[in-house]
Amino acid sequence: MKGIVLAGGTGSRLYPSTRSISKHLFPVYDKPMFYYPLSVLMTAGIREVLVVSNPDGLPLIQRVLGDGSALGMDIRYAVQTEPRGIAEALVIGRDHISGHRSALVLGDNMFHGEGLDGHLNRAASSTSGCTLFGCKVSDPRSYAVAGFGEGGAFTSLEEKPAAPKSDYAVAGLYFYDQDVVDIAMEVEPSGRGELEITDVNRAYLERGRAEFVTMANEVMWLDLGTEESLLEGGRYVSTMARDSGVRVACLEEIALRMGFIGVEECHRLGAEMANSPYGEYVMEAARRAAGLQQGAGV
């Protein structure tokens, strides 16, 4: 399975801050915003990732992640010259994902919680169709919204409807089978001139090959593209670090846990940032893992 992180767009909801820098580089407590969606793909076991971003943001993201080898990954990059819709990421990344199952995550989305790993593992192991995730929201008119029929069957998708059929919004995380490139290539621009991801997802739904997974209280989802949600995300990560000792979306720790890198590699990455609390956390994660290995007689 391969992954795409879409870190494009203009960030207009965060003007004037985003007039000089991509929102995906904004710090969310202790790390850049793009760490959070990338961590989701890593947790799903995906090691080959394409980052799609605008011409200004892409070199800066690449400066941080490089080719991904330090994390035991293969990370590549592609430019989205103008924001032409989420589904365009599938078109831009067609050579990357063609012939493979894939996952697309939006660069300003944060997911975290005890139930997340299970959801990701099930979606990643699915071999047919698409898997969409959703949460209840207070104002579904701002999102793509799922509709349900008798027995809770997933029956419809509407993009920012004036009269939503439910209060379940589709989150910015989508898992697809090998057919997604062909489907995305057939999508026509919407009235606002964009290739809508909802049209891709609706095509799967109309073929009876779409699953909608509701994420309840065990998973936190935030769209970090607004002033308030950006602050909320920072508070959440800060609280987790203070109260639980967990640094959400620590890429080095996830790479170690997933077996992408070993203890020595993880400790070295932490040592490179040793003057920061984040670097100390990464080194401690490596020390804990080494202790567990020794205790198990490895």
Side-chain angles (χ1 to χ4, degrees), residues 19 26 30 42 55 63 68 73 94 112-113 137 143 149 157 162-163 167 173 189 232 245 261:
R19 288 191 180 276
F26 282 10
D30 60 346
M42 293 172 66
R63 183 186 301 175
M73 300 179 66
R94 60 188 179 277
H112 187 256
V137 294
Y143 302 89
L157 275 173
D167 52 4
L173 174 63
E232 185 180 352
I261 60 174

Side-chain angles (χ1 to χ4, degrees), residues 15 56 81 131-132 175 221:
Y15 278 171
D56 293 330
T81 54
T131 302
L132 310 177
F175 283 75
W221 166 52

Side-chain angles (χ1 to χ4, degrees), residues 37-58:
L38 180 58
S39 74
V40 173
L41 298 183
M42 293 172 66
T43 302
I46 297 172
R47 302 178 73 160
E48 296 180 69
V49 173
L50 179 72
V51 177
V52 178
S53 188
N54 56 47
D56 293 330
L58 197 65

Side-chain angles (χ1 to χ4, degrees), residues 43-44 111 113-126 131-134 173 175 211 213-219:
T43 302
F111 300 85
E114 292 182 1
L116 182 60
D117 287 16
H119 286 312
L120 295 176
N121 290 338
R122 285 188 289 274
S125 63
S126 177
T131 302
L132 310 177
F133 296 91
L173 174 63
F175 283 75
E211 179 184 11
V213 178
T214 58
M215 295 186 295
N217 294 332
E218 75 273 10
V219 176

